[in-house]
C-alpha cells in the first residue's frame, strides 16, 4: 500500500457492494459493520461478517473502510471461533455451591433481575449506595455505558477498574496532556482525513518516536499500528525507546534500550539538549507557550551525562537522538502504556508533552495532532452523575479519602486502592466506617489481569457479600467470587455505536445473541427502571438502538474529548452529534468523519477554546510548559525522574538476591488481556506464557529455552516458559500478563491456573507515583530459576494457604514473602 492512491484506485467497489449494509453472497448473509467488543480490543475496524443459518461463519476486512482499509488482526479474522465457542455463558446463572466450587444453577433473566433489585435496594437503604462498587475494564465498548449505569442505576460514585493501582493505564497520559496542552495529542498518521494519506493537507512525520508502546501488537488507545507502517513507507524515520527490540527498533535510526522505568530521566535529558542547544521552535514557543524559563530551571542539570548512568544509555546516543527528534520540521511521538506503569508517570507525561510543544510539533501535519471524539460526541464518567445522590457523591472514594494521599482529585475513577482498603478494613484510613457490600463487574476479569497484587485482591473479594459478573465467558473471577453471572452478547450480536477520536462508527447486529445472552445495552435498558425509575424516564431508552441514537446525538455532551474522563477540566463544550440515527449511519457505510479532527493548527483558528479565541484550552490559553493545573493538582510543575521503589539505585543491597529487572505485559497478537485463551487457533500460535530472557542470563541462571521457570520477587512468584532471545538486554527479563488456562480445572485450588502464571502475584497495591498516579508494573526486580515438577503452585498457595503476604487488614503497603 506504499502508494495509497494506487491502492484506492485498485479496489473493485461494486464487488464489495459499496453503499450496502447487508447483502446475500454465495449462500451467506453479509453485514458491513465495525467490530468492537466482546471480545475486547481498543479499536473498531471495518469488517464484513459472513453468516449462515444464523451463525457467524467467517470474517473479512472491509477495504472500503478508510479506518483500516480491509486489514484485520488474527483476533478479528478468527472471531467465529470465540463467538461460537462452547465456553460461552449462555444463560443467567446463580451460584449453587460455595464460592470457588464452580457449581451453578440456571435461572431466568427475571429471577436474576429480581435478585439484583432486592440486593441493590437493601444495600442502598442500609449502607448508602456508595457501598456498591461498579467495575469496568479497559476501553471496550462499554466503557462509557458502565459508568453511566453505575451512576444512574446503581447510584454509586465508586466506579473504577478495580484493583488497578495508580490508575496505571491511559488516565495518567490523558491528564498529563490536558494540563499543559488542554487537549490530547496523537501521532499524525492522517487519522482525521477520510482520504487519509493522500489528503493534500497531510505530510508524513519526518521522525516517529515509538516510545513505551508497541502499536503493531496493541493497536492501543483507538490507534492502529499499521498506520505508522504506512508512514514509514512514505519515508518517516524511527526512534524506538523500549527495553525490548521490536519491529520498530529493528528499523530504527536509534533504538534506545533503556533500563525499564527510567524514561523520565531520558525525557528530561532530551529537553535539556534541545533547550540548551537552541534546537526548539523559537517562534512557536514565543507565540503559543509559556513557562520555558521555569521548565529550563527545573531540568537544567539533567544533562545527557546525568541521564546516561540512570538509563543505561550512552550520553552520545541521548544527545544525538534528541537532535534527530528536534531536527524534523514535523516529528511525532507515539506514546504508550509504559508511560503510565512507572513511578514517574505524571512527570514523564508532562516532559513528553513539553518536548512536542517546544519543537512546534503540536497540531501540525505529521506532528502530534490534537484530537477529540468526532462530532463532539461524549459520554463518560459524568453521564449519569445527576442521578447519584449527593450524600453518596460526597463520600466518593477519591485518592485522598481512600488512601490519605493528598493532592488534586482530577481523575474521575474512584480510587481503587481506597476501595481495597475499605473492603479489607470496613472503614476509611481515618477510621470512619465504610463497608463495601456489593460489586458489579461488567467487563473485567480482575483476578487474572487488572488486579495488582492478585492474591491480596482475591482475599478481599471473598469477603464481599454480593458479586455480580456480566461477562460472555466463564472466567476465573466468576468461579472464584461471583454469586450471579449475566451472559453477555458478542460484538457481532449487538447494536451499538462508538467513537474513540475519529471517525464515529456503528456496530450493527449480524447474528442473534447466542443462547439467552443479552447485550450490555439491553441489560442497562432492562435494569434501569427497576433500580432507578427516575433515571430510566429521563433517558427514555427501551431498546439497544435508543442508546446508540442517544450517543450519536452527542451523548451527554458534558465534557469534551479526552476531558470526558477528567474531572473539573477547564472547558465545557456544547453538545455535539453526527446528525444521523443509528440506522441511517449504519446504512451510510457505518462511519462518519468530522471537520474538527480533519483540521490542523486549530489553536490558530479559534477551534480549541470555548470562547472561540485563538489559543489552547488551558487556563492561560497558551501551552503551559510548567502547567498551572499541575500546581492545583498538587504535582510538581516541571518534570523529574523517580526511581522504582526497588532496583539498582534504590535498593542495591537487594540486587544480589534479585539481580534481574522484570518488565511485563507487552501485548501479543493473539490475546487481548485475559481474553482469547480458549481459542484453539490462538493457542496454536501462542500455547503458553513466555518470559523473554537474554542468552547471557539464561546461561547464568541455568534456565533453558522452552522450560518452565519461576520468576520471584520479595512479594510472590509465578511461572512461565522461558524464551531465550537477544530482544531483551542482559539483566532485564520480560513476562506476559493476563494468562489463565481455560483447559484446566475451574474449581479451586486451580481456578483455571489463574494464579500460577500471573506476574501480578509480584506487583503491589498502594505503591504509586506522585499524586497517587502511576505504579511500578514494568520495572520490578526479581530472580529466575527452573521450575521442578511437584513445586507448590501459586493457585494452591493463594486459595488454600492465604497467599504469601500477611495481607493485614488495612495495611497500606505491600507485604513480604515468607
Ligand atoms: N493484542 C492486544 N492489544 C492490546 C491489549 C492486549 O492485551 N492485547 N491491551 C490494550 C491495553 S488496555 C493497553 S493499555 C494497550 C497497551 O499497549 P502499548 O501501549 O503498546 O503497551 P505494552 O504492549 O504494554 O508495551 C509497549 C512496549 O513498552 C515496552 N516497555 C516496557 N517497559 C518499558 C519502560 O519502562 N520504558 C519504555 N520506554 N518501554 C517499556 C515493552 O517492551 C513494549 O514493547 O494495549 C491495548 N491493546
Ligand atoms: N502485569 C500486568 N498486568 C496488567 C497489565 C500489564 O501490562 N501488566 N495491563 C493492565 C492494563 S493496561 C489494563 S487496562 C488492565 C485490563 O484489565 P481488564 O480490562 O479488566 O481485562 P480482563 O481482565 O481481560 O477482563 C475483561 C473481561 O471482560 C469481558 N468482556 C470483553 N468485552 C466485553 C464487553 O463488551 N462487555 C462485557 N460485559 N464484558 C466484556 C471479557 O470476557 C473478560 O472476561 O489489565 C492490567 N493488567
Ligand atoms: S485492531 Fe485488530 S482485533 Fe482490534 S478491531 Fe481492529 S482488526 Fe480487530
Ligand atoms: Mo490498558
Amino acid at each position: 500500500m506504499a502508494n495509497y492512491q494506487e491502492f484506492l484506485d485498485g479496489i473493485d467497489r461494486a464487488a464489495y457492494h459499496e453503499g450496502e449494509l447487508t447483502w446475500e453472497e454465495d449462500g451467506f448473509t453479509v453485514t458491513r459493520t465495525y467490530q468492537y467488543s466482546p471480545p475486547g480490543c481498543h479499536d473498531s475496524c471495518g469488517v464484513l461478517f459472513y453468516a449462515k443459518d444464523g451463525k457467524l461463519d467467517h470474517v473479512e476486512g472491509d477495504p472500503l473502510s478508510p479506518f483500516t482499509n480491509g486489514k484485520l488482526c488474527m483476533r478479528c479474522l478468527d472471531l467465529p471461533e470465540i463467538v461460537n465457542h462452547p465456553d460461552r455463558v449462555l444463560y443467567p446463572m446463580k451460584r449453587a455451591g460455595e464460592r470457588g466450587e464452580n457449581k451453578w444453577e440456571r435461572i431466568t433473566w427475571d429471577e436474576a433481575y429480581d435478585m439484583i433489585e432486592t440486593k441493590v435496594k437493601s444495600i442502598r437503604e442500609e449502607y448508602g449506595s456508595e457501598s456498591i462498587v461498579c467495575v469496568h475494564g479497559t476501553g471496550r465498548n462499554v466503557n462509557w455505558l458502565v459508568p453511566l449505569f453505575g451512576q444512574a442505576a446503581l447510584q454509586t460514585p465508586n466506579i473504577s477498574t478495580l484493583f488497578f493501582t495508580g490508575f496505571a493505564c491511559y488516565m495518567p497520559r490523558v491528564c498529563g496532556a490536558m494540563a499543559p496542552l488542554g487537549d490530547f495529542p496523537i501521532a499524525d498518521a492522517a487519522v482525521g482525513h477520510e482520504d487519509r494519506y493522500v489528503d493534500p493537507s497531510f505530510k508524513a512525520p519526518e521522525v516517529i518516536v515509538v516510545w513505551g508502546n508497541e502499536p503493531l501488537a496493541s493497536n492501543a488507545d483507538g490507534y492502529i499500528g499499521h498506520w505508522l507502517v504506512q508512514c514509514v513507507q512514505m519515508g518517516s524515520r524511527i526512534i524506538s525507546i523500549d527495553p525490548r527490540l521490536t519491529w520498530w527498533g529493528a528499523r530504527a535510526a536509534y533504538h534506545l534500550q533503556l533500563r525499564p522505568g527510567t524514561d523520565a530521566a531520558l525525557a528530561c535529558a532530551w529537553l535539556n539538549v534541545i533547550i540548551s542547544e537552541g534546537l526548539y521552535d523559537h517562534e512557536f514557543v514565543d507565540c503559543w507557550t509559556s513557562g520555558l524559563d521555569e521548565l529550563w530551571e527545573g531540568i537544567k542539570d539533567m544533562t545527557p551525562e546525568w541521564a546516561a548512568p540512570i538509563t543505561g544509555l550512552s550520553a552520545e546516543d541521548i544527545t544525538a537522538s534528541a537532535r534527530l527528534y528536534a531536527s524534523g520540521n514535523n516529528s511525532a511521538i507515539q506514546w504508550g502504556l509504559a508511560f503510565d506503569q512507572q513511578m514517574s508517570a505524571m512527570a514523564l507525561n508532562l516532559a513528553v508533552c513539553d518536548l512536542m510543544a517546544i519543537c512546534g510539533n503540536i497540531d501540525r501535519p505529521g506532528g502530534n495532532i490534537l484530537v477529540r471524539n468526532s462530532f463532539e460526541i461524549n459520554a463518560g464518567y459524568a453521564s449519569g452523575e445527576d442521578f447519584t445522590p449527593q450524600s453518596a457523591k460526597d463520600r466518593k472514594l477519591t485518592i485522598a479519602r481512600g488512601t490519605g494521599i493528598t493532592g488534586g482529585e482530577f481523575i474521575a475513577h474512584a480510587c481503587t486502592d481506597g476501595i481495597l482498603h475499605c473492603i479489607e478494613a470496613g472503614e476509611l484510613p481515618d477510621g470512619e466506617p465504610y463497608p463495601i457490600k456489593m460489586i458489579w463487574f461488567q467487563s473485567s476479569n480482575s483476578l487474572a489481569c487488572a488486579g495488582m497484587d492478585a492474591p491480596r485482591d482475591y482475599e478481599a473479594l471473598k469477603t464481599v457479600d454480593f458479586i455480580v459478573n456480566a461477562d460472555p465467558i466463564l472466567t476465573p473471577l466468576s468461579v472464584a467470587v461471583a454469586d450471579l453471572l449475566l451472559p453477555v452478547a458478542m460484538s457481532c450480536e449487538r447494536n451499538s455505536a462508538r467513537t474513540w477520536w475519529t471517525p464515529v462508527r456503528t456496530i450493527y447486529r449480524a447474528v442473534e445473541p447466542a443462547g439467552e445472552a443479552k447485550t450490555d445495552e439491553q441489560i442497562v435498558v432492562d435494569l434501569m427502571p427497576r433500580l432507578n425509575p427516575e433515571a430510566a424516564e429521563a433517558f427514555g431508552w427501551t431498546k439497544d438502538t435508543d442508546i446508540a441514537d442517544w450517543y450519536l446525538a452527542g451523548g451527554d455532551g458534558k465534557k469534551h474529548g479526552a476531558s470526558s474522563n477528567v474531572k473539573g477540566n477547564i472547558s465545557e463544550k456544547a453538545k455535539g452529534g453526527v446528525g444521523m440515527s443509528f440506522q441511517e449511519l449504519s446504512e451510510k457505510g457505518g462511519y462518519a468523519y468530522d471537520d474538527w479532527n480533519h483540521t490542523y493548527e486549530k489553536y490558530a483558528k479559534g477551534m480549541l477554546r470555548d470562547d472561540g479565541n485563538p489559543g489552547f484550552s488551558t487556563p492561560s490559553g497558551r501551552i503551559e510548559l510548567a502547567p498551572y493545573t499541575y500546581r492545583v493538582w498538587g504535582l510538581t510543575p516541571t518534570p523529574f525522574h523517580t526511581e522504582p521503589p526497588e532496583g539498582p539505585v534504590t535498593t542495591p543491597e537487594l540486587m544480589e538476591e534479585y539481580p534481574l529487572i522484570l518488565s511485563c505485559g507487552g501485548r501479543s497478537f493473539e490475546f487481548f488481556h485475559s481474553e482469547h485463551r480458549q481459542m484453539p487457533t490462538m493457542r496454536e500460535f501462542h500455547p503458553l506464557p513466555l518470559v523473554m530472557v537474554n542468552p547471557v542470563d539464561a546461561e547464568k541462571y541455568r534456565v533453558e529455552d522452552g522450560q518452565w521457570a519461576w520468576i520471584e520477587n520479595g512479594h510472590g512468584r509465578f511461572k512461565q516458559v522461558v524464551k531465550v532471545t537477544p530482544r531483551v538486554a542482559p539483566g532485564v527479563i520480560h513476562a506476559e500478563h493476563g494468562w489463565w488456562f481455560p483447559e484446566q480445572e475451574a474449581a479451586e485450588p486451580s481456578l483455571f491456573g489463574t494464579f500460577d502464571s500471573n506476574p501480578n502475584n509480584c506487583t503491589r497495591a498502594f505503591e504509586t507515583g506522585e499524586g497517587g498516579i502511576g505504579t511500578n508494573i514494568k520495572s520490578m526486580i526479581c530472580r529466575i530459576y527452573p521450575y521442578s515438577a511437584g513445586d507448590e503452585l501459586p493457585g494452591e498457595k493463594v486459595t488454600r494457604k492465604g497467599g504469601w503476604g500477611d495481607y493485614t487488614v488495612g495495611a497500606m503497603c505491600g507485604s513480604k514473602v515468607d
Side-chain angles (χ1 to χ4, degrees):
M1 214 170 79
N3 185 332
Y4 188 68
Q5 190 60 54
E6 228 168 64
F7 163 80
L8 289 182
D9 294 343
I11 304 172
D12 182 345
R13 291 175 175 270
Y16 280 101
H17 294 254
E18 184 169 36
E20 289 174 62
L21 171 59
T22 60
W23 62 92
E24 298 297 317
E25 189 180 311
D26 300 332
F28 296 101
T29 303
V30 191
T31 306
R32 158 170 286 124
T33 186
Y34 284 83
Q35 158 74 19
Y36 198 0
S37 73
C41 183
H42 275 183
D43 272 294
S44 180
C45 299
V47 287
L48 304 173
F49 283 137
Y50 286 74
K52 192 179 235 167
D53 302 326
K55 270 180 84 166
L56 185 67
D57 184 86
H58 61 280
V59 182
E60 282 187 17
D62 181 4
L64 303 188
S65 162
F67 189 70
T68 39
N69 299 110
K71 294 193 180 74
L72 292 184
C73 305
M74 62 195 293
R75 299 193 307 282
C76 261
L77 285 169
D78 199 29
L79 276 170
E81 218 168 69
I82 187 75
V83 173
N84 303 318
H85 201 283
D87 286 0
R88 283 189 61 177
V89 182
L90 296 179
Y91 310 99
M93 305 284 238
K94 189 171 106 174
R95 179 165 58 77
E98 292 299 312
R99 283 180 174 171
E101 283 188 345
N102 194 35
K103 293 187 181 148
W104 304 97
E105 177 193 333
R106 180 176 163 183
I107 55 173
T108 65
W109 275 100
D110 260 344
E111 285 167 325
Y113 288 155
D114 284 347
M115 231 171 120
I116 293 165
E117 188 179 339
T118 309
K119 281 282 185 187
V120 168
K121 285 183 174 165
S122 77
I123 292 169
R124 284 201 302 227
E125 199 157 300
E126 200 172 337
Y127 303 98
S129 53
E130 66 274 23
S131 286
I132 303 172
V133 170
C134 176
V135 182
H136 58 82
T138 187
R140 301 184 181 83
N141 201 34
V142 285
N143 254 42
W144 63 273
L145 189 62
V146 175
L148 184 152
F149 175 77
Q151 292 174 329
L154 300 170
Q155 296 188 287
T156 178
N158 291 326
I159 299 162
S160 199
T161 302
L162 193 58
F163 302 138
F164 196 15
T165 294
F167 312 89
C169 173
Y170 203 49
M171 288 298 100
R173 267 172 292 156
V174 171
C175 298
M178 297 311 294
L181 306 177
D183 272 283
F184 193 76
I186 64 171
D188 184 20
V191 188
H193 319 306
E194 187 167 358
D195 55 356
R196 300 299 305 263
Y197 314 96
V198 292
D199 189 275
S201 64
F202 173 70
K203 275 198 286 196
E206 282 176 39
V207 177
I208 302 169
V209 187
V210 182
W211 196 338
N213 176 252
E214 211 307 48
L216 285 178
S218 65
N219 296 311
D221 314 317
Y223 200 92
I224 295 285
H226 59 67
W227 297 341
L228 293 176
V229 176
Q230 175 70 28
C231 293
V232 170
Q233 288 175 331
M234 294 171 77
S236 303
R237 299 180 72 195
I238 303 166
I239 299 174
S240 164
I241 304 178
D242 197 313
R244 293 190 307 168
L245 178 67
T246 64
W247 188 92
W248 309 93
R251 287 156 183 81
Y254 291 93
H255 172 210
L256 303 178
Q257 197 167 21
L258 79 182
R259 169 163 68 97
T262 63
D263 299 79
L266 173 63
C268 290
W270 269 25
L271 283 165
N272 184 290
V273 171
I274 292 168
I275 299 175
S276 67
E277 296 188 4
L279 302 176
Y280 57 93
D281 183 332
H282 288 77
E283 194 186 332
F284 185 85
V285 167
D286 285 349
C287 288
W288 299 105
T289 75
S290 68
L292 185 69
D293 292 345
E294 194 181 346
L295 171 63
W296 172 246
E297 200 49 43
I299 53 102
K300 67 177 190 301
D301 298 329
M302 300 176 188
T303 59
E305 291 69 28
W306 163 83
I310 299 175
T311 54
L313 304 169
S314 73
E316 292 72 34
D317 278 356
I318 297 175
T319 306
S321 55
R323 288 178 184 153
L324 177 60
Y325 170 69
S327 68
N329 287 324
N330 50 341
S331 296
I333 296 176
Q334 168 67 19
W335 57 2
L337 178 60
F339 278 70
D340 310 324
Q341 298 195 336
Q342 51 182 292
M343 303 305 271
S344 297
M346 291 305 283
L348 171 60
N349 291 320
L350 173 60
V352 170
C353 289
D354 283 353
L355 280 167
M356 298 171 192
I358 63 171
C359 293
N361 287 326
I362 296 286
D363 221 25
R364 291 196 167 149
N368 279 96
I369 49 167
L370 298 177
V371 281
R372 292 181 187 169
N373 280 352
S374 48
F375 300 94
E376 294 286 354
I377 289 172
N378 288 301
Y381 264 71
S383 305
E385 69 178 3
D386 293 348
F387 302 97
T388 315
Q390 193 57 44
S391 58
K393 284 196 248 190
D394 290 344
R395 298 191 79 222
K396 177 174 170 179
L397 286 169
T398 56
I399 301 176
R401 189 169 292 113
T403 67
I405 298 173
T406 51
E409 289 300 343
F410 50 95
I411 291 202
H413 296 202
C415 172
T416 177
D417 281 345
I419 296 171
L420 175 60
H421 178 84
C422 288
I423 298 175
E424 288 179 339
E427 59 182 31
L428 295 173
D430 68 7
E432 187 184 326
Y434 207 122
I436 302 297
K437 290 286 164 190
M438 170 179 167
I439 306 185
W440 171 275
F441 284 98
Q442 194 168 0
S443 75
S444 184
N445 185 9
S446 287
L447 291 178
C449 193
M452 298 300 121
D453 205 338
R456 179 176 180 167
D457 304 333
Y458 166 86
E459 294 273 308
L461 284 177
K462 285 275 182 185
T463 67
V464 176
D465 283 2
F466 184 56
I467 295 182
V468 184
N469 192 11
D471 197 297
I473 294 287
L474 180 71
T475 64
L477 176 83
S478 293
V479 175
V481 297
D483 303 299
L484 184 60
L485 307 182
L486 303 181
V488 172
M490 294 272 178
S491 178
C492 59
E493 300 167 338
R494 78 195 295 174
N495 290 315
S496 194
R498 66 97 39 152
T499 164
W500 192 334
W501 314 134
T502 184
V504 62
R505 279 148 279 175
T506 60
I507 296 147
Y508 198 86
R509 176 172 292 163
V511 291
E512 289 301 312
E516 288 182 6
K518 291 193 188 211
T519 62
D520 290 296
E521 289 80 7
Q522 196 60 47
I523 294 171
V524 168
V525 164
D526 292 349
L527 271 175
M528 189 90 88
R530 282 173 171 260
L531 301 181
N532 189 356
E534 192 198 333
E537 200 183 319
F539 287 107
W541 300 328
T542 58
K543 52 188 188 310
D544 53 3
T545 48
D546 293 340
I547 298 185
D549 284 336
W550 176 86
Y551 184 84
L552 292 173
D556 64 62
K558 274 195 178 167
K559 300 259 161 67
H560 72 75
S563 62
S564 61
N565 283 312
V566 181
K567 209 181 105 190
N569 190 53
I570 313 96
S571 180
E572 293 245 335
K573 263 278 163 186
K575 205 168 150 103
V578 65
M580 276 184 267
S581 71
F582 168 75
Q583 188 64 31
E584 284 164 346
L585 185 55
S586 300
E587 284 170 9
K588 291 211 153 120
Y591 71 86
Y593 284 82
D594 66 343
D595 283 339
W596 197 93
N597 286 294
H598 166 69
T599 308
Y600 291 109
E601 298 184 9
K602 296 180 275 289
Y603 53 89
K605 298 169 185 159
M607 293 171 74
L608 298 177
R609 297 180 57 78
D610 283 351
D611 59 17
N613 286 325
F616 292 84
S617 188
T618 58
S620 65
R622 289 170 173 263
I623 291 179
E624 299 183 8
L625 301 171
Y628 167 77
T629 312
Y630 260 45
R631 280 174 242 270
V632 174
W633 290 344
L635 303 173
T636 310
T638 55
F640 62 100
H641 165 65
T642 308
E643 272 295 318
E646 291 176 342
V649 176
T650 329
T651 55
E653 72 284 0
L654 285 181
M655 298 313 287
E656 203 165 308
E657 207 179 341
Y658 303 110
L660 296 166
I661 311 276
L662 166 61
S663 183
C664 64
R667 276 47 176 157
S668 56
F669 293 105
E670 295 84 1
F671 310 114
F672 194 77
H673 291 299
S674 76
E675 296 182 63
H676 300 95
R677 295 299 186 298
Q678 51 287 100
M679 295 165 71
T681 304
M682 301 303 164
R683 295 297 291 280
E684 196 182 328
F685 278 89
H686 197 148
L688 294 167
L690 298 174
V691 56
M692 290 182 175
V693 183
N694 184 276
V696 172
D697 290 325
E699 200 179 324
K700 199 160 159 191
Y701 302 109
R702 294 189 295 283
V703 290
E704 284 170 26
D705 194 72
Q707 179 191 50
W708 283 98
W710 288 112
I711 300 108
E712 179 173 298
N713 71 1
H715 194 54
R717 71 170 179 175
F718 62 101
K719 69 180 176 77
Q720 301 205 349
V721 173
V722 174
K723 172 80 195 159
V724 178
T725 168
R727 286 183 56 199
V728 287
V732 175
I733 65 170
H734 179 279
E736 294 178 352
H737 81 298
W739 273 88
W740 58 294
F741 305 89
E743 68 276 16
Q744 291 184 17
E745 173 63 40
E748 293 179 359
S750 160
L751 270 186
F752 298 113
T754 308
F755 291 108
D756 296 344
S757 296
N758 191 348
N760 300 347
N761 298 342
C762 293
T763 46
R764 289 176 167 91
F766 298 105
E767 197 173 72
T768 60
E770 195 181 33
I773 315 290
T775 189
N776 190 44
I777 296 167
K778 293 204 191 296
S779 36
M780 297 175 276
I781 57 172
C782 71
R783 62 176 163 234
I784 188 165
Y785 56 97
Y787 162 83
S788 309
D791 284 353
E792 182 180 62
L793 292 178
E796 178 78 19
K797 178 93 175 155
V798 173
T799 65
R800 297 285 185 252
K801 299 185 179 164
W804 288 273
D806 57 337
Y807 306 116
T808 318
V809 169
M812 296 300 283
C813 58
S815 38
K816 288 266 175 272
V817 71
D818 60 27

